[in-house]
């Protein structure tokens, strides 16, 4: 989970655990995310906030794609058309989002990745 807002991160972490995730790893900065991606951790799926501390996270998304980690974008910004062009097929969930919508999008991304 790439999310810089502590309360949102805690809510999404609990939502994921309630829906069956065995572990949720949270990164709140670009540097933390890079460390997790480059580390020994392997991820089944990721939720990527488009902006962390005013910085765009598309480089993180590209790295996840290169490692075949399924992910969805979660964003409070409305420029989802640009994301769709740059990342075709990747779900963009607008904030504030409904928990079920987010979980469904992550599960769908993970299923699609396994089928590929």
């Amino acid at each position: 989970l790439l999310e810089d807002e502590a309360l949102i991160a805690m809510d999404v972490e609990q939502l994921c655990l309630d829906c069956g995730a065995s572990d949720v790893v949270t990164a709140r900065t670009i540097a933390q995310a890079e460390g997790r991606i480059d580390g020994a951790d392997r991820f089944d799926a990721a939720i990527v906030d488009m902006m962390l501390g005013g910085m765009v996270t598309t480089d993180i998304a590209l790295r996840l794609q290169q490692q075949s980690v399924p992910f969805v974008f979660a964003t409070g910004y409305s420029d989802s058309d640009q994301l769709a062009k740059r990342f075709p097929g990747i779900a963009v969930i607008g904030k504030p989002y409904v928990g079920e919508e987010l979980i469904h999008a992550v599960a769908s991304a993970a299923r699609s990745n396994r089928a590929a």
Side-chain angles (χ1 to χ4, degrees):
L1 169 62
L2 186 53
E3 174 60 62
D4 59 348
E5 295 291 331
L7 290 177
I8 293 173
M10 288 188 311
D11 284 347
V12 172
E13 178 179 0
Q14 190 59 56
L15 175 66
C16 291
L17 293 170
D18 289 347
C19 290
S22 60
D23 189 26
V24 177
V25 175
T26 301
R28 296 188 54 200
T29 67
I30 298 280
Q32 286 177 347
E34 290 172 340
R36 296 289 188 173
I37 291 170
D38 294 338
D41 293 324
R42 289 291 158 237
F43 304 104
D44 295 322
I47 300 168
V48 179
D49 188 353
M50 266 309 301
M51 297 288 286
L52 284 186
M55 297 181 70
V56 178
T57 60
T58 52
D59 287 345
I60 297 295
L62 287 170
R63 290 172 74 179
L64 290 169
Q65 250 182 352
Q66 290 167 350
Q67 293 183 11
S68 299
V69 175
F71 66 94
V72 299
F73 285 112
T75 183
Y77 298 91
S78 61
D79 199 6
S80 59
D81 290 341
Q82 288 290 29
L83 282 177
K85 288 177 187 172
R86 190 159 182 199
F87 295 93
I90 304 297
V92 179
I93 307 301
K95 290 181 182 179
Y97 42 75
V98 176
E100 289 177 12
E101 179 184 16
L102 181 65
I103 293 299
H104 176 73
V106 172
S108 183
R111 277 192 304 274
S112 294
N113 195 58
R114 280 193 289 261

